[in-house]
Amino acid sequence: MKEYKEKSLKGFRKKSIWPSLILFFVFLVFCIGLIVMIMSVFEEYIMDSKIAGVYEDAEDLGRLVKANKEENIMESLSFVGRNLKKENGICLTDRDNQIKIIYGKSRPDFNRREEIDLFDTYIVMPDQGAQQMEWDNMLMIPVQELWERTMDGPIRLNNDSKQMWEMWLREEIFTVNCWLEVPLNFEEYHLYYRDRVRLVRKDILYLIVVGIIAISALSLPIILLLINVLSSIVIQRRMVKLLYLDTITGGKNWTYFIHHSKKILNRVSGSKNTYAMVNLHMDKYQDFCACYGNKSGEELLEHISGFLQAKVGKGEAFARFATADFGLLLKCQSREQCEMRLRKMLAELKGIRKDKKLNYHVGIYMIDPLTHQKGDKKHYRRQVDVDQIYHYASAARQEVMGNEGQYIKVFDQQILEEQLWKRKVEDSMESALLNKEFQIYLQPKYSPVSGKLVGAEALVRWISPTDGLITPGCFIPIFEENGFITQLDDYMISGVAKLQSERKLQGKKAVPVSVNVSRAHFTREDLAEHICQLVDSYGTDHGSIELEVTESAFFGDKDMLQRIIKELKVYGFSISMDDFGAGYSSLNSLKDLPIDVLKLDMEFFRGEDVEKRGEIVVKETIQLAKNLNMKIVAEGIERKDQVEFLADQGCDMIQGFYYAKPMTVQEFDRRVERDS
Ligand code: C2E
Ligand code: MG
Ligand code: MG
């Protein structure tokens, strides 16, 4: 689909104009050819009609000579010759081509005969016009005298404009003198007649008029076609502009960015440059729109777009990707230089609206020119998948989202692996739940005083057919983010309820088991009833199930949380505050909420100064819990001295590797039999 889209865009951009252009040029050449042909045909026609005139004169001459030949050919020829005009001539030759008689300016050149198709019987030769005097002398014919006698006389000019115009029209442009053979059939004599074929201004005017008519007849379709081509170029340009227009910011859109970035990254000349693909995100755009309206939001985007566009130089690219996400392709010398440039940009961007606080986060994907090196041979990048690397930059940006201190993150392989894992988990979580790949593990809780097993915590394990045992840290945060955690918790609550009821039915020893309830549940109004239903479906005693709520849940909607906890208590469940002390202090919550058990986070028992300061805090916290009538459980206990210390302080239960790690239900059954 993506390929098809790219192909059709490419076709639209490049090819659509060519057919019209080619058609136009073909038609233009055709028309020019046609005009040239029309003019040359007409010119031929003019020339032919001129030659036809000469031919008629030659025929008249032939008839005249034939009519007189019986008496004396020589005499009749000399009569004709004497009455010739100055441009004409006659020449009589015998069978050996010896000239017997010649009148006129020149003699024919018998070596340069050229046939003209139109006149089969006549031979037309260009006049050599040379050595006329010599010939004249040789034949001892007073040609000079003849000319004078046959001369037209001086041309008289008068003021009559019509006459002047006609004279102007008759003025010669060029002349071809030619000799024609006159058909005589007389004792192997050959008679040649000389005349001029003249091209006058009038002929040229006719030619020009015909040319103008031809051009104007053909220019109409040419102009129409040209208009068509030009308008389709204009339309196409407009369409391309629209195709690349971001209607919100008025700048370039994502299609342009992908196209342009590909061009920059994949061209050979740029293959040795380092580039950075950048995803710049403005935080809380929706909040901004909610406060100031959509129009202000769009104006802000336009403002940011204009600012970023101005920061992008030649050989770089910029466009808006979506909502408040912008993509930049920057040319950099190094990663440090790129980060510095972006930091400067962010500092300026923050102040773009003086009255409003704006925050941005940036993800970078560095595009190195060198892909790999084999020995001395360096391999530079060829094709870059712009879409893909933009998403890498975006993944890097998502890593720092929500961080107040860090605004820029460069993509690395670990981010990619996390992204891939997240995708994999999200793709398979639902089928895993259906296939019962999630299993209940139980970690026992011991009394440090009696050393007896007094309770347990249900902890989920994902037994994946492909990846084996997966611990909650690898998928619980993903489920919490996408909301699937509520389904998993329901599954665990039901599972524990089933276990407790089966144990009771089988008459086995039973201890209370705690189940983690994610804070995501506490947005549900009827959570207490819902949990009740799940447990009741197995007929399980509510008192045998404890619900663990993490400390962070106590920072949400306090009233709702308080109400739900109270309802759960009324239903007979005991409630514990998990990971107490891990996050922000929630001492205040202890005052308001009817909590039964306080679970000290394992962080209390880690660190260097645990011996002194940690002991004091634990001691005081245990005291506080006791005063509030709460039981206390210490998590993450691994050493004997910790157990002894906690026993001295009156800690009720210990959950830690010192006693046992989380285990399967079967193992736990054996433990209960042995240790409780
Ligand atoms: P948590 O509820 O605080 O569970 C205690 C975690 O501490 C467990 O990790 C347990 O294996 C670990 N732990 C216990 N004693 C020791 C010790 O001595 N040393 C060390 N290093 N670790 C110890 P686990 O099973 O990996 O679970 C991690 C977290 O995942 C849990 O912390 C809980 O927040 C969450 N979780 C587990 N199962 C579920 C579940 O079914 N639903 C929900 N919502 N969260 C769950
Ligand atoms: Mg827990
Ligand atoms: Mg815990």
Side-chain angles (χ1 to χ4, degrees), residues 353-519:
R353 281 283 175 95
K354 298 268 180 308
D355 52 334
K356 286 159 192 116
K357 188 180 182 294
L358 301 173
N359 259 341
Y360 303 87
H361 282 92
V362 168
I364 306 172
Y365 180 88
M366 293 306 298
I367 312 160
D368 292 322
L370 210 64
T371 49
H372 60 282
Q373 188 167 358
K374 248 188 195 172
D376 282 347
K377 209 171 172 210
K378 291 176 176 177
H379 294 265
Y380 293 96
R381 64 159 185 268
R382 287 261 173 88
Q383 295 289 317
V384 180
D385 186 342
V386 177
D387 251 331
Q388 180 74 64
I389 59 172
Y390 179 74
H391 286 292
Y392 288 164
S394 174
R397 192 259 303 161
Q398 278 165 35
E399 283 282 301
V400 280
M401 281 299 282
N403 284 11
E404 270 300 310
Q406 197 188 358
Y407 297 102
I408 299 178
K409 173 100 186 162
V410 179
F411 177 86
D412 58 37
Q413 204 53 33
Q414 198 192 330
I415 294 176
L416 179 64
E417 275 160 23
E418 279 169 16
Q419 290 274 322
L420 290 175
W421 172 250
K422 192 176 166 195
R423 181 109 296 271
K424 191 173 170 185
V425 166
E426 289 188 337
D427 284 347
S428 52
M429 60 192 188
E430 269 155 14
S431 59
L433 193 69
L434 282 175
N435 299 338
K436 298 197 166 41
E437 287 172 25
F438 294 107
Q439 286 190 11
I440 298 172
Y441 271 52
L442 293 160
Q443 186 178 27
K445 294 172 190 166
Y446 281 81
S447 158
V449 182
S450 65
K452 291 221 179 260
L453 195 158
V454 286
E457 179 177 6
L459 296 160
V460 69
R461 295 290 181 267
W462 186 350
I463 315 295
S464 157
T466 50
D467 298 286
L469 190 145
I470 309 166
T471 52
C474 300
F475 56 88
I476 293 282
I478 300 173
F479 291 175
E480 275 177 341
E481 203 184 306
N482 64 26
F484 189 70
I485 190 72
T486 54
Q487 290 188 52
L488 181 77
D489 281 353
D490 286 356
Y491 174 86
M492 290 294 284
I493 294 167
S494 303
V496 168
K498 191 172 170 223
L499 276 181
Q500 293 292 65
S501 104
E502 280 172 0
R503 177 163 280 131
K504 197 177 172 192
L505 285 173
Q506 288 161 11
K508 290 181 185 170
K509 287 184 191 170
V511 286
V513 176
S514 61
V515 191
N516 291 286
V517 182
S518 165
R519 62 187 158 148

Side-chain angles (χ1 to χ4, degrees), residues 76-260:
S76 68
L77 274 177
S78 67
F79 168 76
V80 171
R82 277 197 301 279
N83 290 297
L84 281 176
K85 283 187 188 171
K86 66 173 180 183
E87 66 265 28
N88 300 125
I90 51 172
C91 175
L92 188 74
T93 60
D94 60 15
R95 80 168 74 91
D96 302 324
N97 263 352
Q98 291 303 310
I99 293 174
K100 291 286 158 200
I101 190 165
I102 184 159
Y103 285 97
K105 273 168 101 181
S106 58
R107 58 163 289 187
D109 180 354
F110 301 112
N111 301 324
R112 292 198 59 208
R113 290 185 178 189
E114 288 168 24
E115 277 188 356
I116 290 183
D117 297 344
L118 275 170
F119 308 99
D120 299 329
T121 47
Y122 302 100
I123 297 163
V124 181
M125 290 155 291
D127 183 14
Q128 296 306 297
Q131 302 163 344
Q132 66 183 58
M133 291 311 292
E134 200 180 309
W135 284 99
D136 292 346
N137 291 339
M138 214 171 79
L139 295 161
M140 294 204 292
I141 293 164
V143 175
Q144 198 65 36
E145 197 185 305
L146 177 76
W147 285 356
E148 278 163 14
R149 266 191 278 131
T150 58
M151 196 104 88
D152 288 340
I155 297 165
R156 279 194 201 92
L157 293 172
N158 64 22
N159 289 336
D160 187 352
S161 61
K162 195 182 165 199
Q163 224 175 1
M164 274 177 70
W165 166 240
E166 274 173 10
M167 273 164 59
W168 184 87
L169 282 179
R170 261 192 262 125
E171 208 152 290
E172 282 178 19
I173 302 288
F174 91 37
T175 311
V176 178
N177 291 321
C178 58
W179 284 97
L180 306 183
E181 187 178 354
V182 179
L184 210 55
N185 298 333
F186 178 62
E187 293 175 6
E188 298 178 3
Y189 281 103
H190 293 278
L191 178 63
Y192 298 97
Y193 170 67
R194 176 187 184 276
D195 203 351
R196 269 184 189 173
V197 176
R198 285 183 302 172
L199 212 64
V200 294
R201 279 193 176 144
K202 205 171 160 186
D203 303 322
I204 300 295
L205 268 181
Y206 282 151
L207 202 64
I208 290 171
V209 169
V210 167
I212 288 172
I213 292 169
I215 289 171
S216 42
L218 290 171
S219 59
L220 190 71
I222 292 179
I223 289 169
L224 286 178
L225 202 65
L226 186 69
I227 290 171
N228 184 290
V229 170
L230 289 178
S231 62
S232 59
I233 289 173
V234 170
I235 289 170
Q236 196 209 24
R237 286 216 171 148
R238 271 193 208 149
M239 299 270 281
V240 168
K241 216 171 161 190
L242 269 179
L243 190 78
Y244 288 147
L245 180 75
D246 176 9
T247 45
I248 304 253
T249 64
K252 295 279 192 286
N253 66 11
W254 199 245
T255 313
Y256 169 82
F257 183 82
I258 296 286
H259 174 68
H260 194 51

